[in-house]
Amino acid sequence: MPSLPVSQGHYRIATRLGDLIFTAGMTPRKDGVLIRKGKILNGTPVSDYRACVELAVQNALQAAQSQMTPGERISRVLNTTVYVAAEEGFEGHSKIADLASDHLFARLPEIEPGARTAVGVYTLPGNAPVEIALVVAVQSP
């Protein structure tokens, strides 16, 4: 099992209120190290960013699961926010976000998609190309 994401500052990777879990923004870090740095570039196929987007999603799921008790499951993904650090003129933010949605719902096929926001930003922490935050609802057995 991959290691649990570690906060890069003074915050928790996820917080829980009742049956809702809010994750911090998760970048594509493996064992605390970004697997890719730099902006998402015009002219580069979106599929070239799949691995880093999927790792950011996986980190967000792990952060959410860290707040769950044995037997609980994610019953709904209420919101996915995808921050995209792209060069000027990039217009494929929703396609980057689609990579996140596709991976999320491949991992949780019984759950319907929730709301999603794709936001273009100038930079992200550590020069990450993408950052993903989730809001999920959990259900006890």
Side-chain angles (χ1 to χ4, degrees):
M1 177 178 209
S3 60
L4 194 61
V6 176
S7 70
Q8 302 295 305
H10 189 77
Y11 62 91
R12 295 181 58 166
I13 61 170
T15 58
R16 182 171 180 165
L17 178 63
D19 66 347
L20 299 179
I21 298 173
F22 301 78
T23 73
M26 293 289 149
T27 55
R29 291 181 188 272
K30 182 175 182 178
D31 299 323
V33 178
L34 284 169
I35 65 164
R36 185 172 189 153
K37 290 185 175 188
K39 293 188 181 293
I40 292 177
L41 304 174
N42 292 312
T44 300
V46 169
S47 60
D48 284 5
Y49 299 99
R50 181 178 309 279
C52 68
V53 171
E54 288 180 353
L55 181 56
V57 170
Q58 190 56 40
N59 287 341
L61 281 173
Q62 284 183 265
Q65 290 165 341
S66 76
Q67 299 298 303
M68 297 166 57
T69 60
E72 286 186 318
R73 67 178 186 83
I74 295 174
S75 60
R76 294 190 64 192
V77 174
L78 299 172
N79 190 49
T80 304
T81 304
V82 181
Y83 300 94
V84 179
E87 71 179 344
E88 189 173 338
F90 182 77
E91 295 179 355
H93 300 81
S94 62
K95 291 180 194 284
I96 296 293
D98 283 343
L99 294 174
S101 295
D102 291 348
H103 184 69
L104 185 59
F105 297 107
R107 294 292 316 269
L108 304 168
E110 68 283 359
I111 297 174
E112 293 183 28
R116 184 185 82 190
T117 304
V119 181
V121 298
Y122 187 69
T123 64
L124 287 168
N127 198 24
V130 65
E131 182 173 310
I132 296 172
L134 299 174
V135 178
V136 301
V138 297
Q139 184 174 39
S140 298

